Amino acid sequence: MEQSAQQAQQIDHLASAPPPGGSPFAAFGMPGLGGPPTAAPPEPRPILELDGEAREDELDALSDWVDDFFLPVYGAEVTTAAPWCLQWQEHDDVVAWLHALWLAYQQHKDPESGMSGLFVWHRDFLTHAVAAVRAPGGPLSACMTSSDRPAHRLLPGPPPSVRAESAATAESAEPDEPAS
């Protein structure tokens, strides 16, 4: 009888909710059984998908990183082989490249990236992004190629596709037709 009572007590204990003090899985970053899941950090969004104040705030933070860290360390000399633009924020493609580079930098400098995190950033992100942004025929090629001659010019992009033009023409030609 005594043994049955002990077993019943053990079963009750095992079936009861865990104490609110903490999770036995907390050391692994996991919530306890029945506890609320930990909130995931917000997912970064590409800067070109942001609007209004959110975009301005992100562009301000990116500009600080570019001016205070990126250019002094990785800016190199401005030449025809490596152009730059003092108004780089007006080049959407450059903003997109530098924003992606900055997000990768933040991820790879995090201690969770390990000791080689920044090496991976240099190897996999920095070299490729700088080569694309500062290429002689790249998005800044019509801008400053000498520190003594600041210049800025946005290069025209390709026209819309024929399909986009014909769709726009069809929409504007049929605005009065009722929808069925």
Side-chain angles (χ1 to χ4, degrees):
M1 266 320 223
E2 189 177 322
Q3 192 176 20
S4 292
Q6 285 177 345
Q7 288 175 343
Q9 201 175 25
Q10 251 184 337
I11 290 173
D12 287 344
H13 174 71
L14 292 172
S16 66
S23 164
F25 306 108
F28 303 106
M30 298 170 48
L33 300 175
T38 56
E43 299 226 0
R45 291 182 54 205
I47 194 167
L48 298 182
E49 291 181 5
L50 301 175
D51 291 321
E53 192 173 324
R55 183 173 176 155
E56 285 302 313
D57 291 346
E58 194 74 359
L59 189 57
D60 286 344
L62 174 62
S63 296
D64 290 344
W65 180 77
V66 168
D67 292 339
D68 298 339
F69 174 74
F70 177 74
L71 287 177
V73 177
Y74 303 105
E77 184 179 4
V78 175
T79 65
T80 54
W84 185 247
C85 184
L86 298 175
Q87 297 170 351
W88 61 267
Q89 298 94 338
E90 295 180 21
H91 298 265
D92 281 343
D93 46 356
V94 173
V95 169
W97 271 105
L98 292 175
H99 187 252
L101 183 63
W102 178 49
L103 292 177
Y105 174 77
Q106 291 177 66
Q107 176 185 355
H108 285 83
K109 76 173 188 159
D110 188 279
E112 289 184 14
S113 293
M115 300 286 278
S116 62
L118 285 175
F119 176 81
V120 171
W121 178 77
H122 280 88
R123 182 194 68 201
D124 294 350
F125 300 94
L126 176 70
T127 304
H128 185 68
V130 170
V133 168
R134 298 192 67 190
L140 302 178
S141 60
C143 294
M144 185 169 64
T145 58
S146 168
S147 304
D148 299 332
R149 295 186 311 274
H152 168 69
R153 191 175 110 213
L154 294 175
L155 298 172
S161 69
V162 173
R163 182 174 182 189
E165 278 185 13
S166 61
T169 304
E171 285 179 16
S172 64
E174 304 171 10
D176 296 332
E177 290 186 22
S180 50

